[in-house]
Amino acid sequence: MVVVGIAVVGLPGTTNKSALAATSLPCDIYASGGTPCVAAHGTVRALFGAYNGNLYQVKRASDNATLNIGVLSTGGYANAAAQDSFCAGTSCVITIIYDQSGHGNDLTQAPGGGAAGGPDNLANASALPLTVSGHHVYGVYIPSGTGYRNDHTSGIATGDNSEGEYAIFDGTHYNGGCCFDYGNAETSNNDTGNGHMEAIYFGNIKVWGYGSGNGPWVMADLENGLFSGVNAGFNSGDQSITSHYVTAIVKGGPNLWAIKAGNAQSGGLTTMYSGPRPNVSGYNPMHKEGAIILGIGGDNSKGAAGSFFEGAMTSGYPSDATENAVQANIVATGYGSGSTQSSNLLTNGDAEAGTTDWSVFGSGSLTSNTSVVHSGTRSLLLTGRTASWNGISQNITSQLTNGKSYTTNVWVRTQSGTPSAKVTMAVTANGSTSYITLTPTTAVNSSGWTLLSGTTTVSWSGTLSNAMWYVETASGTDSFYVDDASLQ
């Protein structure tokens, strides 16, 4: 897998290899290389070995109460269990992604900008569960229309000053919209001209620039241009990404920048480009303004989609040795080890194996669909329903533990109509069946995918003989699609 990263130039830092202990985390490594983090964001883990603060904040829909999610231990992983407990029986959104660097560069709901009004949507807090080194955590799942920003930062590079940026993205979640970015942007939320941004971009849009293959690519959003190298448009060195978890790096300084990428699960970094600024007027010198964005463009363009796990921005141009050490730490962290797929109690949750292990709850015809998908190449389609409770189902009797809390996530879309949908579990014990609501009832439609998400305790009395997980509607018999279902 190859990721494009833009290097913001300055004086390369010198890495003190003796300081790069095995327990050093990314921002410890950057500091040891003379290029300290001035912003550090993530919902998965601490990025400093000594960090013991909050990673992010969630707000639940039932009463608008908020909860800060911290780490399980100093320098450790997110306390996702606290989120699960707090959000049980309702849904939560991520309201703040805290800056761990001490500079106060927290990311909050993005306001409107020159390209689109606002405020932008907030990410569903439970939409992206994963397991990292055996720890249950959540990433930030960003569909179109969702974005975070900070226009009043401290320590972020401005003008032509040097900086470095890295992020870990989901290599399977992207689109061709503008623009899924993380990094340096305008403070006014408007397009103020060439060279006023320096952010990592991930996706497969080809309007301004692109690389080899069909994408997605890591590119640099420098404003009025997504660059994959020195040229506007095509640069063959920027290779398409093929890994599930992507390390993306952009760094830059006076008339020098670089793009790097790597598989966040194994191996090292590949330099996709390193050299002078683009051969287009307005980018040398740069005019960076120092705001920070996530999931959107500098002018609040918000048509893109992607997923973010962690990232940081530095003061100064990191050395290759420093970045190699950061990549080694990321690989050692174990993204996807005991991953979401293996911890999913639903078999074939992504529907890529067709209708295998899925069935109809009640009446209807279940087929594998390839024309309307949320991700991958297939989804499930249920037609011919005769009652609202008829749904797409899976038997999970052998998977359940009495009294345990389970989180459900599933994407739903109708063929036509706008019913409300929910996920239910039919639990039969000692000859009696009870129906447990797993997600809040949510309106769905035919124009886009809607996430049904919830956390609920499942319990019963006596001996469990059958348990069916299924998606249904509150009324009507509209045909609907299901994709990317999980129960954890």
Side-chain angles (χ1 to χ4, degrees):
M1 167 230 94
V2 180
V3 178
V4 176
I6 297 184
V8 185
V9 175
L11 293 178
T14 301
T15 302
N16 179 358
K17 293 184 180 179
S18 65
L20 302 182
T23 55
S24 292
L25 299 183
C27 285
D28 302 313
I29 296 168
Y30 278 119
S32 296
T35 52
C37 291
V38 289
H41 304 105
T43 57
V44 169
R45 60 168 181 157
L47 300 180
F48 291 84
Y51 189 74
N52 195 30
N54 295 313
L55 299 180
Y56 60 104
Q57 182 187 86
V58 297
K59 181 174 70 174
R60 64 188 176 198
S62 58
D63 59 1
N64 288 325
T66 60
L67 178 71
N68 288 328
I69 305 300
V71 291
L72 292 169
S73 60
T74 300
Y77 294 90
N79 184 4
Q83 173 184 318
D84 291 340
S85 176
F86 182 74
C87 301
T90 184
S91 62
C92 284
V93 293
I94 298 173
T95 46
I96 304 172
I97 304 174
Y98 289 108
D99 174 21
Q100 303 176 32
S101 75
H103 286 263
N105 294 323
D106 303 337
L107 295 175
T108 57
Q109 187 172 28
D120 296 351
N121 297 328
L122 294 168
N124 185 299
S126 60
L128 188 57
L130 70 155
T131 304
V132 179
S133 289
H135 296 273
H136 163 56
V137 293
Y138 291 99
V140 186
Y141 189 97
I142 298 179
S144 299
T146 301
Y148 295 83
R149 193 176 195 121
N150 187 330
D151 288 327
H152 306 284
T153 61
S154 170
I156 304 300
T158 58
D160 206 27
N161 290 329
S162 300
E163 67 180 346
E165 302 166 348
Y166 95 91
I168 299 179
F169 300 135
D170 185 334
T172 68
H173 183 207
Y174 59 90
N175 70 3
C178 179
C179 290
F180 183 74
D181 292 346
Y182 172 70
N184 197 320
E186 294 97 337
T187 57
S188 64
N189 310 329
N190 294 305
D191 178 349
T192 53
N194 295 4
H196 284 250
M197 289 181 62
E198 188 162 65
I200 307 169
Y201 163 83
F202 184 68
N204 66 346
I205 193 170
K206 299 177 70 174
V207 173
W208 297 279
Y210 58 99
S212 58
N214 296 319
W217 304 280
V218 176
M219 296 188 279
D221 191 342
L222 305 182
E223 190 54 278
N224 297 321
L226 296 176
F227 289 92
S228 57
V230 70
N231 301 310
F234 177 67
N235 291 274
S236 62
D238 187 2
Q239 304 171 42
S240 295
I241 303 305
T242 60
S243 62
H244 187 167
Y245 297 99
V246 180
T247 305
I249 290 178
V250 167
K251 59 180 178 179
N255 199 26
L256 176 65
W257 65 285
I259 298 170
K260 295 183 181 180
N263 184 336
Q265 294 178 297
S266 64
L269 296 169
T270 298
T271 299
M272 311 309 294
Y273 174 77
S274 180
R277 288 291 182 181
N279 53 16
V280 179
S281 64
Y283 299 101
N284 184 31
M286 292 286 287
H287 314 280
K288 289 171 278 190
E289 298 187 25
I292 305 174
I293 53 174
L294 172 62
I296 53 176
D299 59 1
N300 198 44
S301 298
K302 53 183 179 180
S307 293
F308 172 88
F309 301 103
E310 65 179 68
M313 301 171 67
T314 71
S315 174
Y317 189 79
S319 70
D320 290 343
T322 296
E323 290 166 338
N324 290 340
V326 169
Q327 168 67 0
N329 172 264
I330 291 168
V331 170
T333 297
Y335 270 89
S337 58
S339 67
T340 301
Q341 302 299 336
S342 63
S343 60
N344 188 358
L345 300 183
L346 298 176
T347 305
N348 187 30
D350 58 8
E352 293 304 296
T355 60
T356 301
D357 293 310
W358 292 98
S359 61
V360 178
F361 193 78
S363 299
S365 175
L366 180 65
T367 58
S368 177
N369 180 270
T370 58
S371 60
V372 179
V373 299
H374 178 256
S375 70
T377 61
R378 293 178 180 272
S379 67
L380 300 173
L381 172 61
L382 180 62
T383 59
R385 302 167 66 227
T386 59
S388 61
W389 56 269
N390 298 159
I392 298 175
S393 68
Q394 188 167 137
N395 189 307
I396 54 170
T397 309
S398 64
Q399 305 286 352
L400 298 181
T401 300
N402 198 359
K404 185 175 179 179
S405 180
Y406 293 94
T407 297
T408 291
N409 286 290
V410 61
W411 293 88
V412 179
R413 180 172 180 165
T414 61
Q415 269 197 326
S416 62
T418 56
S420 292
K422 63 179 179 177
V423 181
T424 302
M425 188 182 296
V427 176
T428 302
N430 283 11
S432 177
T433 300
S434 59
Y435 298 88
I436 302 171
T437 299
L438 300 182
T439 70
T441 302
T442 304
V444 296
N445 58 68
S446 60
S447 61
W449 291 90
T450 299
L451 176 67
L452 306 184
S453 179
T455 301
T456 306
T457 298
V458 176
S459 59
W460 59 86
S461 298
T463 301
L464 179 69
S465 58
N466 192 60
M468 297 296 294
W469 180 103
Y470 64 100
V471 181
E472 62 175 326
T473 56
S475 61
T477 57
D478 299 286
S479 300
F480 61 82
Y481 304 91
V482 162
D483 202 357
D484 295 326
S486 68
L487 178 69
Q488 295 179 297

